[in-house]
């Protein structure tokens, strides 16, 4: 049976799984659906066409599904096992839902803009702001006070240093820093934790040195050479395809 505080407001029409917990002074709108095992702490607001999967934990003062600048009531689709810490804001998407995948941690005062996507296993550190329509691929990890511009794609396994401004697409597997950012190297620590072998990491480091050399930006001549050699390593292929396909390139 749901444990709903008598001080909470759950509007008629909201759908809550049998074991959902809702703390005092929280507001759950009429089109909200909350899956099994969700814990909604005190003073949380969840509105709009918003669906949370299983085992999500929403901490005090977080707001999910709020309308963006257009004022239109938007939609949010959230997977399983996410944590939304204090003062997190997830804006409702208009046209396309705002999406948060599975097993993500959104830390204090971080925000996800209208129709943005946070994939799986991401960590958004304190005061990270993800702009409207931006995409954070799997295993993205930001540091505090970083900003991702609207429409930008952050490649998988990317580590973003503190106070970094992501003003264009980032390559996968990278550590990036600065405003505007520069590629500083391979995110070795995360790759090892995720099971990448030493040979793959060594090859990635070699290619990163050739591609980004001392400037931290893509060297077009190096990119052309690597494209012509058609590397067999699937991670290198993914890296090159990401750079070549970037709408706002690294």
């Amino acid at each position: 049976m749901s444990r709903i505080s008598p001080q909470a407001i759950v509007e008629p029409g909201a759908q809550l799984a049998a074991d959902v917990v809702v703390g005092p002074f929280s507001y759950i709108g009429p089109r909200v659906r909350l899956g099994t095992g969700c814990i909604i702490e005190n003073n949380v607001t969840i509105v709009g066409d918003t669906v949370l999967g299983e085992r999500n934990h929403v901490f005090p003062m977080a707001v999910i599904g709020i309308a963006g600048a257009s004022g239109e009531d938007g939609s949010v689709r959230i997977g399983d096992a996410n944590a939304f810490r204090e003062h997190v804001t997830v804006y409702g998407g208009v046209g396309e839902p705002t999406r948060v995948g599975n097993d993500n941690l959104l830390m204090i005062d971080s925000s996800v803009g209208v129709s943005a996507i946070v994939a799986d296993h991401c960590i958004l550190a304190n005061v990270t702001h993800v702009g409207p329509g931006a995409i954070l691929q799997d295993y993205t990890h930001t540091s505090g006070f970083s900003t991702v511009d609207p429409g930008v794609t952050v490649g998988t396994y990317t580590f973003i240093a503190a106070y970094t401004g992501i003003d264009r697409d980032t390559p996968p597997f990278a550590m990036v820093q600065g405003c505007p950012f520069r590629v500083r190297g391979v995110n070795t620590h995360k790759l090892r934790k995720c099971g990448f072998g030493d040979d793959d990491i060594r090859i990635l480091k070699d290619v990163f040195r050739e591609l980004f050399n001392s400037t931290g930006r893509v060297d077009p001549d190096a990119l052309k050479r690597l494209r012509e050699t058609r590397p067999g390593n699937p991670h290198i292929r993914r890296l090159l395809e990401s750079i070549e396909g970037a709408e706002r390139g690294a």
Side-chain angles (χ1 to χ4, degrees):
M1 181 177 180
S2 299
R3 287 185 289 155
I4 301 172
S5 168
Q7 286 81 36
I9 297 175
V10 178
E11 295 282 10
Q15 300 177 31
L16 279 62
D19 59 349
V20 167
V21 175
V22 181
F25 309 111
S26 286
Y27 177 84
I28 309 297
R31 294 198 291 155
V32 173
R33 287 176 280 168
L34 303 178
T36 298
C38 286
I39 299 173
I40 311 302
E41 300 273 7
N42 60 284
N43 298 92
V44 170
T45 300
I46 306 179
V47 293
D49 175 20
T50 296
V51 179
L52 276 70
E54 299 181 357
R55 305 183 312 283
N56 291 289
H57 194 163
V58 186
F59 286 78
M61 309 305 293
V63 179
I64 299 176
I66 188 171
S70 69
E72 295 183 55
D73 194 15
S75 59
V76 178
R77 296 294 181 266
I78 293 170
D80 301 332
N82 299 287
F84 300 85
R85 296 295 313 201
E86 294 82 355
H87 297 276
V88 165
T89 304
V90 179
Y91 290 92
V94 177
E96 289 294 327
T98 303
R99 298 185 183 276
V100 178
N102 304 309
D103 192 32
N104 297 292
L105 170 60
L106 284 70
M107 296 173 67
I108 295 170
D109 202 31
S110 58
S111 67
V112 180
V114 172
S115 300
I117 297 173
V118 178
D120 299 334
H121 313 293
C122 298
I123 299 174
L124 276 59
N126 296 348
V127 202
T128 293
H129 296 293
V130 179
I135 299 172
L136 272 58
Q137 295 181 350
D138 295 347
Y139 293 99
T140 296
H141 186 167
T142 76
S143 297
F145 296 89
S146 53
T147 301
V148 180
D149 279 3
V152 165
T153 296
V154 178
T156 186
Y157 299 102
T158 293
F159 175 80
I160 300 172
Y163 297 96
T164 293
I166 304 299
D167 60 334
R168 60 194 187 280
D169 294 353
T170 77
F173 317 118
M175 295 189 298
V176 299
Q177 182 184 39
C179 190
F181 78 84
R182 296 289 185 269
V183 174
R184 301 302 187 187
V186 175
N187 190 7
T188 303
H189 178 70
K190 174 60 77 174
L191 295 183
R192 285 205 174 104
K193 286 186 66 174
C194 292
F196 281 63
D198 289 340
D199 287 343
D200 284 331
I201 291 173
R202 176 184 52 79
I203 292 169
L204 279 168
K205 284 183 174 181
D206 289 343
V207 169
F208 265 63
R209 277 191 291 269
E210 186 171 356
L211 271 175
F212 301 105
N213 51 62
S214 60
T215 68
R217 301 293 293 262
V218 173
D219 181 334
D221 294 332
L223 180 61
K224 181 179 178 181
R225 287 194 303 272
L226 288 163
R227 187 191 301 121
E228 290 171 350
T229 59
R230 299 186 180 276
N233 184 288
H235 305 307
I236 303 305
R237 287 203 304 272
R238 182 173 189 174
L239 171 65
L240 298 181
E241 288 168 1
S242 173
I243 293 171
E244 291 170 344
E247 293 185 10
R248 297 167 62 177

